[in-house]
Amino acid sequence: CFAVLLEGSLSKAQLTPTFYDETCPNVTAIIRDVLVNASFSDPRIGASLIRLHFHDCFVQGCDASILLDDPVNGEKEAIPNNNSARGYEVIDAMKAALESACPNTVSCADILAIASEQSVSTLAGGPSWAVPLGRRDGFTANRTLANSNLPGFNNTLDRLKNRFSNVGLNTSIDLVALSGAHTFGRAQCLTFTSRLYNFTGVGDTDPTLNTTYLEELRQICPQGGNSSVLTNLDPTTPDGFDNNYFTNLQVNRGLLRSDQNLFSTEGADTIEIVNRFSSNQTAFFESFVESMIRMGNISPLTGTEGEIRSNCRAVNSATIRSNSDAALVSSI
C-alpha cells in the first residue's frame, strides 16, 4: 500500500534521488561535511535540523519558507518556532558551500531534506534512504499558518491527528513513525513543566507520567526555575536514533504530553503501532523512512515554480525589485 502511494505521489511531484547527479553530484557529501563539523560543537544539531524540515513541510509544503527572515510574516517568530527552532546558521553554511561548488543549483528546501537524512543516518546511527530531490524554494513565509498548522507539545491525540490530516499524512502510522524522531534531541523545561506541577490548573501532576521520572524532571526543572533549561527527549539513549522512544512511552516516560498521548490515550489506534515499534526496531526504521519521504513530498514546488535561492534567508534580489513587486509576490 505504502509503495503504491509513494510511487504515485513522487511521480506527480517530479522528485527523484538522482536530481543532482549531473549538476551537483557531491551535494550529499558537501552537506554531510558541514553537518559533521557542526556536530562537534553542537550535539543537538541533527535533531534540530530534522525539526526544521518537519516544521517547513507542515506550512505551505516543503518550500524552505521557515528559513526566510521576514519581520511581518516570518515563520521563525511563530509560536511553535520562536526561541526553539534552531540550526539556521548551519543551513547557511551548507548553502554557502554548495553555492561555491554548484552555484544556483541546490534549493534550500532540498538542503533541509538531505540534512535531515544525514542527521539520522550519519550522526545518530539511524536508517539511511535515497532522498527524493528537485524541490524549489518559495517566495513567501506564512506565520499565521505556522501558528495554526504545526503540532504542539501539549496536543491531544485528536489534535495531532488533525494536524497530520491537514497536510495529507496518515494519522496513525505516519504520526507515530515521525514522532519517533524524538528518540534524539532536547526539549526546554517550558514544554513539559505543566505536567509536573499544574496539569489541570489545580496544582496536580499528569497521571500518565511515571512517578520516578516525574521526580527526575522536577530536579531538572524546579517550579519557577529557568524555563529554557534543556533535558533529553529520550533519557535512555539521548543522541542515538533507535526505538527506545517507544519503549519509554510504554513505561510512561514520554517527555512531552504529545508523545505520551500516542500510547496513553484510551482505545487509540496508535497504541498497537507503539508496541510494534518498541519490539521491532527494523519495523520502526522502515516506517520512518517511508513517512519521511511522504512528509518531504508535501506540496513541493517543482519545475519552473518557485526559485533556487542564493541565500536561504531571503528571496533572490531579481525576484523582488521594489515594494510594489513584493506586494504582488505576497498576493500570489
Side-chain angles (χ1 to χ4, degrees):
C1 176
F2 277 116
V4 173
L5 287 171
L6 285 170
E7 184 179 1
S9 60
L10 287 177
S11 61
K12 179 182 178 182
Q14 300 172 318
L15 301 182
T16 169
T18 61
F19 189 81
Y20 297 110
D21 280 7
E22 300 298 325
T23 57
C24 195
N26 295 323
V27 57
T28 299
I30 292 169
I31 289 174
R32 181 190 305 123
D33 287 347
V34 174
L35 177 64
V36 170
N37 284 335
S39 72
F40 292 142
S41 58
D42 183 2
R44 302 167 57 201
I45 192 60
S48 296
L49 294 185
I50 200 171
R51 186 167 184 255
L52 282 185
H53 183 39
F54 188 111
H55 282 212
D56 177 41
C57 290
F58 268 64
V59 182
Q60 301 184 150
C62 308
D63 62 350
S65 58
I66 194 172
L67 303 178
L68 288 171
D69 286 340
D70 181 340
V72 177
N73 296 312
E75 295 165 26
K76 292 179 178 180
E77 292 78 23
I79 293 169
N81 295 326
N82 195 33
N83 295 320
S84 66
R86 59 190 298 277
Y88 302 112
E89 295 81 6
V90 176
I91 296 295
D92 292 341
M94 292 172 177
K95 182 61 177 174
L98 287 165
E99 285 300 300
S100 176
C102 326
N104 308 311
T105 302
V106 181
S107 69
C108 300
D110 277 348
I111 292 173
L112 286 173
I114 296 170
S116 295
E117 187 277 334
Q118 286 295 302
S119 293
V120 171
S121 63
T122 298
L123 292 189
S128 63
W129 63 96
V131 181
L133 301 167
R135 302 167 192 79
R136 289 167 66 84
D137 300 322
F139 296 126
T140 59
N142 192 327
R143 186 178 301 173
T144 301
L145 200 60
N147 280 326
S148 63
N149 265 29
L150 288 170
F153 52 81
N154 272 326
N155 282 175
T156 63
L157 183 58
D158 282 345
R159 177 63 64 88
L160 292 172
K161 285 176 172 284
N162 174 263
R163 297 292 186 260
F164 273 65
S165 176
N166 284 345
V167 294
L169 290 176
N170 183 284
T171 59
S172 54
I173 193 79
D174 286 337
L175 171 56
V176 178
L178 291 174
S179 295
H182 284 170
T183 187
F184 68 161
R186 315 283 187 270
Q188 298 180 57
C189 288
L190 64 87
T191 61
F192 58 86
T193 46
S194 65
R195 304 182 71 203
L196 312 183
Y197 301 107
N198 198 26
F199 186 58
T200 63
V202 293
D204 55 342
T205 60
D206 185 344
T208 67
L209 191 59
N210 177 287
T211 53
T212 304
Y213 191 39
L214 166 67
E215 293 307 318
E216 293 171 8
L217 294 176
R218 282 180 162 177
Q219 293 296 315
I220 298 167
C221 304
Q223 193 164 16
N226 184 347
S227 63
S228 63
V229 168
L230 298 169
T231 192
N232 298 322
L233 281 161
D234 175 0
T236 315
T237 49
D239 296 320
F241 199 94
D242 52 35
N243 66 338
N244 282 336
Y245 166 84
F246 302 103
T247 307
N248 294 335
L249 298 185
Q250 290 176 315
V251 293
N252 290 351
R253 283 177 168 262
L255 181 66
L256 306 180
R257 184 185 177 200
S258 56
D259 290 329
Q260 193 60 50
N261 282 340
L262 299 177
F263 185 77
S264 296
T265 302
E266 188 175 354
D269 60 356
T270 52
I271 296 172
E272 178 275 328
I273 304 171
V274 170
N275 288 335
R276 176 153 45 94
F277 289 168
S278 173
S279 63
N280 188 337
Q281 182 166 281
T282 300
F284 164 47
F285 281 7
E286 290 174 349
S287 290
F288 181 79
V289 166
E290 289 184 342
S291 294
M292 282 295 292
I293 291 172
R294 286 158 65 85
M295 186 187 79
N297 198 53
I298 298 173
S299 304
L301 301 172
T302 58
T304 58
E305 301 170 313
E307 66 178 3
I308 305 297
R309 287 185 215 143
S310 56
N311 172 2
C312 290
R313 296 174 180 264
V315 297
N316 295 336
S317 57
T319 305
I320 297 179
R321 295 185 175 84
S322 69
N323 290 334
S324 60
D325 285 343
L328 176 64
V329 170
S330 297
S331 66
I332 292 176

